[in-house]
């Protein structure tokens, strides 16, 4: 799987680089920061939770990661980020979280590839001193891709998500996206390993609008319905079971922030509901109701980085 993802990234980059020129031909409404190296840090309350079916009983478990930290950087057509959650050394109930993401900005296309891993889940709404049923070995590993397209030249999605552009006048855009990925869930039940492999594909048409206020401030709501398919295979002992699910979701978000030539800062409020049309023993449900606080600073790119990227452009004949 890792080799396939690396091959996809390399192939996608070389097939589209000569079409990218994401720093040029933009609307006068948008300033691109092509000569800046953009660094971003944020803190998020986003968490992961599961629905677990035990016979007739259904209950929820969650990872004990109250906060997640992210460090990100992007330059010209490439963006990288690393997210993690600090361990709580005062508790015996620990969850591990790590996420890495790479983005390509190709004209009005945005391509992302994400890897995330979470381990250690515990009953929701129960004091850790009273937990009887724990899942410290329950682990999820995900590889997720998303391809999206921004229709309106006067609207900048990068202004909101990556802060490597600045939108000066109010505008919105329809942004269709396709999401696809692989998720593996594993755990030990009575010392026997349980494994579930899920393959997802989903259509997620979004609409974003950014109101540009006075003195560099803005407010930007968005809505994203989604529908897709999940192909799932479970294995426990000598039993294997395959199934196909219809997945549905609705995401509502609003972002409020400040932008200048050097600094971007703000808050993102997100609310999302997901469902599938059938039940399984382990059903991944990511809690997307969260607040995200971010701060971004743009540095002058070092000369060696400019020379390296310019050299790539020349070799590819861009």
């Amino acid at each position: 799987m890792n080799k396939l993802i690396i091959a996809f990234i390399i192939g996608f980059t070389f097939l589209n680089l000569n079409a990218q020129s994401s720093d040029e031909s933009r609307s006068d409404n948008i300033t691109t920061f092509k000569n800046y190296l953009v660094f971003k840090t944020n803190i998020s309350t986003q968490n992961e939770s599961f629905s677990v079916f035990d016979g007739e009983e259904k209950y929820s478990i969650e990872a004990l990661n109250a906060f997640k930290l992210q460090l990100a950087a992007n330059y010209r057509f490439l963006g990288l980020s690393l997210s993690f959650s600090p361990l709580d050394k005062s508790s015996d109930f620990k969850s591990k979280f790590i996420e890495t993401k790479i983005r390509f900005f190709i004209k009005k296309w945005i391509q992302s590839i994400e890897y995330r891993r979470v381990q250690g889940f515990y009953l929701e709404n129960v004091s850790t001193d009273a937990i009887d049923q724990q899942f410290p070995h329950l682990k999820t590993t995900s590889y997720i891709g998303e391809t999206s397209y921004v229709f309106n030249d006067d609207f900048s999605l990068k202004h909101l998500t990556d802060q490597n552009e600045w939108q000066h006048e109010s505008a919105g855009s329809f942004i269709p996206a396709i999401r696809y990925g692989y998720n593996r869930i594993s755990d030990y039940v009575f010392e026997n390993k349980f494994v579930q492999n899920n393959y997802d594909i989903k259509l997620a048409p979004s609409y974003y609008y950014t109101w540009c206020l006075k003195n560099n401030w803005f407010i930007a709501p968005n809505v994203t319905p989604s529908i897709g398919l999940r192909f799932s295979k479970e294995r426990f002992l000598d039993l294997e079971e395959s199934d196909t699910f219809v997945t549905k979701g609705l995401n509502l978000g609003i972002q409020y922030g400040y932008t200048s030539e050097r600094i971007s800062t703000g808050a993102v409020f997100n609310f999302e509901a997901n469902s599938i049309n059938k039940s399984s023993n382990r059903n991944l449900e990511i809690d997307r109701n969260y607040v995200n606080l971010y701060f971004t600073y743009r540095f002058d790119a070092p000369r060696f980085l400019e020379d390296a990227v310019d050299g790539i452009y020349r070799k590819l004949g861009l």
Side-chain angles (χ1 to χ4, degrees):
M1 179 61 68
N2 288 337
K3 293 181 179 178
L4 288 175
I5 290 177
I6 293 171
F8 175 82
I9 292 172
I10 295 173
F12 186 90
T13 303
F14 279 93
L15 285 173
N16 291 281
L17 267 175
N18 54 12
Q20 65 92 27
S21 29
S22 58
D23 302 326
E24 302 173 2
S25 303
R26 294 309 308 271
S27 165
D28 292 338
N29 182 34
I30 296 171
T31 298
T32 64
F33 298 110
K34 65 178 183 178
N35 295 322
Y36 288 148
L37 179 60
V38 182
F39 281 98
K40 176 181 179 180
T41 181
N42 67 49
I43 184 169
S44 171
T45 62
Q46 182 179 330
N47 206 351
E48 280 75 25
S49 65
F50 274 94
S51 291
V52 178
F53 295 86
D54 184 7
E56 298 295 327
E57 185 180 0
K58 175 182 176 180
Y59 52 93
S60 295
I61 56 176
E62 67 177 355
L64 300 182
N65 302 120
F67 297 100
K68 291 183 174 65
L69 303 176
Q70 182 187 78
L71 302 175
N74 60 69
Y75 180 66
R76 297 205 181 173
F77 64 88
L78 182 64
L80 300 168
S81 67
L82 171 66
S83 303
F84 60 94
S85 185
L87 290 176
D88 183 1
K89 296 182 179 180
S90 64
S91 173
D92 293 329
F93 305 98
K94 296 178 173 63
S95 298
K96 300 176 183 178
F97 168 83
I98 189 167
E99 176 187 271
T100 59
K101 181 182 290 188
I102 182 170
R103 283 177 179 251
F104 299 102
F105 313 111
I106 304 159
K107 275 194 172 180
K108 297 196 292 182
W109 292 90
I110 299 177
Q111 173 67 49
S112 68
I113 299 290
E114 175 185 333
Y115 166 81
R116 60 191 292 124
R117 180 177 176 178
V118 187
Q119 180 175 341
F121 290 79
Y122 305 90
L123 287 176
E124 286 186 347
N125 304 318
V126 178
S127 170
T128 53
D129 295 333
I131 289 181
D132 298 320
Q133 196 163 5
Q134 307 157 10
F135 299 84
H137 303 295
L138 178 56
K139 178 172 62 178
T140 73
T141 304
S142 303
Y143 299 86
I144 305 167
E146 179 173 322
T147 305
S148 56
Y149 182 83
V150 181
F151 270 90
N152 188 356
D153 288 336
D154 290 324
F155 174 82
S156 173
L157 183 62
K158 302 176 204 175
H159 172 222
L160 302 178
T161 59
D162 296 274
Q163 289 79 51
N164 57 352
E165 291 186 347
W166 181 4
Q167 180 176 323
H168 299 282
E169 298 180 3
S170 299
S173 181
F174 174 59
I175 306 174
I178 181 170
R179 299 172 184 169
Y180 36 88
Y182 164 74
N183 169 258
R184 175 183 171 90
I185 303 170
S186 62
D187 193 17
Y188 286 91
V189 181
F190 303 116
E191 298 184 354
N192 295 297
K193 192 169 186 178
F194 168 89
V195 176
Q196 183 184 91
N197 295 299
N198 298 306
Y199 301 87
D200 293 288
I201 185 167
K202 181 184 297 185
L203 295 176
S206 301
Y207 186 81
Y208 282 74
Y209 193 91
T210 299
W211 276 292
C212 296
L213 310 176
K214 293 183 178 180
N215 300 323
N216 304 62
W217 293 92
F218 69 90
I219 186 168
N222 66 82
V223 58
T224 306
S226 64
I227 186 168
L229 292 175
R230 169 173 291 177
F231 305 95
S232 181
K233 178 179 288 188
E234 295 182 2
R235 185 177 71 251
F236 180 61
L237 297 176
D238 296 327
L239 301 176
E240 287 192 4
E241 182 178 349
S242 299
D243 209 340
T244 301
F245 304 93
V246 176
T247 63
K248 298 178 182 179
L250 178 63
N251 179 284
L252 301 173
I254 189 167
Q255 182 171 343
Y256 180 71
Y258 172 90
T259 304
S260 66
E261 183 179 358
R262 290 287 185 175
I263 292 174
S264 291
T265 187
V268 180
F269 302 89
N270 199 85
F271 311 90
E272 182 172 344
N274 294 289
S275 65
I276 60 176
N277 65 330
K278 299 179 184 179
S279 297
S280 63
N281 291 332
R282 297 286 192 273
N283 175 30
L284 175 62
E285 293 181 350
I286 298 178
D287 176 10
R288 297 284 186 179
N289 303 325
Y290 63 88
V291 178
N292 184 342
L293 305 177
Y294 66 89
F295 177 82
T296 302
Y297 192 84
R298 304 179 189 92
F299 295 87
D300 293 322
R303 185 60 182 269
F304 77 87
L305 183 59
E306 290 186 20
D307 292 342
V309 173
D310 289 341
I312 294 173
Y313 284 178
R314 286 192 298 271
K315 289 180 180 179
L316 296 176
L318 303 179

